[in-house]
Amino acid sequence: MQRFEYQQVRMGVETRLVVYAPDEACAVAACRAAYHRISELEAKMSDYRPDSELMLLCQRAVNRWVRVSRELFYVLWRAQKLAAQTAGAFDITLGPLVLLWREARRTKQLPDEATLNEAKARVGWQKLELSLRRRAVRLAIAHMRLDLGGIAKGYACDEALRTLKRFGIRRALVQMGGDLVTGEPPPEQSGWRIEVPGLDGQVQTLWLCRRALATSGSTEQYVEIGGKRYAHLIDPRTGLGLTRLTLARVQAPDGITADSLATAACIMGAEGIDQLKRLYPHATIEVQTRD
Ligand code: ADP
Ligand code: MG
């Protein structure tokens, strides 16, 4: 068994594959398929592409049921479940507010109140309906915008790992930015050695095997306006980016769970996650916040 490592940009982040395979041809074939799988998911779930399945859905599903792909339905289903569990702290209908945040990052100005209220009126997880029977989606009002930025990368990692497995590769690690999943460990190791900056600033070493790890927080993507930092994590209560310093780290059995819980935990803060811990007993949820 030899170690092979590849890196390419997918979904706007560095996407790293580390695999153990008998030879290079085998590693290349499997990793090519894994990258291809991530690209397929990007074409369905990106909000940067006007022609993604997700963006077309936002136009077509107003007041009527639209059938969607299996993958998109599953991610929407998991997102809505988490929205209900967190009383809307995790909310994929925040798209209009995410756009305002991106504009604020460009212009270094917060939206005025009228603009903010207009966007807020188009947000709300209860305005997004799912029908399991039809595998279909319906939106209650026009001009809604769905955003899977807090959950899709974790799912893409899971799918990449499954693709590698279909090619016979079980000893593998998939990382997309702050999201990472691991399969079986490298030969003669009990896990994948992962170094992460601890929540207290010190480097922590983790050994992961068949487990996912997600990090989310306000420390990397933010815009500074009037001495305050507004992170790319949107607080549905204010409609604005989180202003307190937050870092969340979640370990879970799969990437979709780790990714979405990490985003949710940031919004809920250290005070709010007890309920989440009870609902996800197989996850380890850590979050640190400072005002
Ligand atoms: P990153 O994508 O930077 O690794 P996250 O997984 O935490 O970090 O996702 C952040 C993204 O999630 C934002 O860019 C936005 O698209 C989306 N998002 C922001 N706030 C929320 C929220 N309250 N609920 C669900 N998704 C959110
Ligand atoms: Mg996330």
Side-chain angles (χ1 to χ4, degrees):
M1 281 285 188
Q2 271 177 277
R3 183 183 192 277
F4 299 92
E5 179 167 347
Y6 306 95
Q7 194 154 316
Q8 293 183 14
V9 174
R10 288 290 184 286
M11 297 187 172
V13 295
E14 289 293 341
T15 300
R16 194 161 74 96
L17 302 179
V18 186
V19 300
Y20 284 84
D23 56 60
E24 186 169 10
C26 175
V28 167
C31 290
R32 195 171 279 160
Y35 279 121
H36 179 71
R37 179 65 183 138
I38 298 174
S39 296
E40 277 179 355
L41 295 174
E42 189 172 8
K44 292 183 200 294
M45 300 182 193
S46 173
D47 67 298
Y48 283 93
R49 296 185 183 187
D51 62 342
S52 71
E53 187 183 6
L54 184 74
M55 288 299 102
L56 294 177
L57 182 68
C58 294
Q59 296 170 25
R60 294 177 182 162
V62 182
N63 278 319
R64 65 188 194 95
W65 289 107
V66 172
R67 195 170 160 84
V68 298
S69 65
R70 263 172 218 294
E71 299 94 322
L72 182 56
F73 191 83
Y74 176 65
V75 174
L76 293 172
W77 183 263
R78 289 290 306 263
Q80 288 297 82
K81 185 172 135 187
L82 189 56
Q85 290 169 335
T86 61
F90 185 86
D91 184 347
I92 58 163
T93 71
L94 288 173
L97 295 167
V98 172
L99 283 190
L100 289 184
W101 179 86
R102 286 183 196 158
E103 196 179 317
R105 183 171 57 173
R106 246 192 347 264
T107 62
K108 305 271 180 218
Q109 273 187 345
L110 291 180
D112 61 50
E113 206 176 306
T115 307
L116 190 61
N117 286 336
E118 188 279 327
K120 274 181 165 175
R122 292 183 281 128
V123 169
W125 65 276
Q126 277 132 330
K127 297 187 181 84
L128 163 60
E129 260 185 289
L130 301 179
S131 164
L132 188 57
R133 189 171 55 81
R134 290 182 253 217
R135 206 216 289 157
V137 177
R138 185 165 72 179
L139 301 171
I141 57 169
H143 307 300
M144 289 177 67
R145 189 182 165 95
L146 305 179
D147 182 318
L148 298 176
I151 186 168
K153 286 201 290 291
Y155 178 68
C157 288
D158 292 336
E159 283 294 295
L161 195 68
R162 269 192 278 278
T163 302
L164 294 172
K165 218 188 225 173
R166 272 201 290 282
F167 277 74
I169 293 185
R170 290 167 181 279
R171 301 183 186 279
L173 175 151
V174 180
Q175 179 174 16
M176 299 184 73
D179 294 295
L180 177 156
V181 301
T182 60
E184 300 298 327
E188 289 159 50
Q189 307 264 320
S190 59
W192 291 86
R193 183 169 192 270
I194 315 285
E195 294 209 326
V196 288
L199 296 172
D200 54 7
Q202 283 180 343
V203 174
Q204 211 183 336
T205 303
L206 303 172
W207 294 87
L208 298 182
C209 162
R210 283 179 261 109
R211 203 141 165 90
L213 173 73
T215 306
S216 188
S218 62
T219 51
E220 278 186 19
Q221 288 211 57
Y222 58 82
V223 53
E224 198 164 327
I225 300 170
K228 266 191 183 173
R229 285 178 170 192
Y230 297 87
H232 73 323
L233 298 154
I234 309 292
D235 186 338
R237 288 161 295 197
T238 61
L240 299 172
L242 281 188
T243 50
R244 61 181 178 195
L245 205 59
T246 304
L247 192 63
R249 177 157 302 127
V250 176
Q251 278 188 45
D254 59 21
I256 191 171
T257 307
D259 186 9
S260 55
L261 287 183
T263 304
C266 285
I267 306 294
M268 300 174 96
E271 330 75 49
I273 58 168
D274 288 348
Q275 162 81 344
L276 216 50
K277 286 181 175 174
R278 273 193 294 277
L279 289 166
Y280 293 87
H282 300 296
T284 311
I285 309 171
E286 295 171 282
V287 53
Q288 228 182 36
T289 47
R290 215 180 317 137
D291 281 313

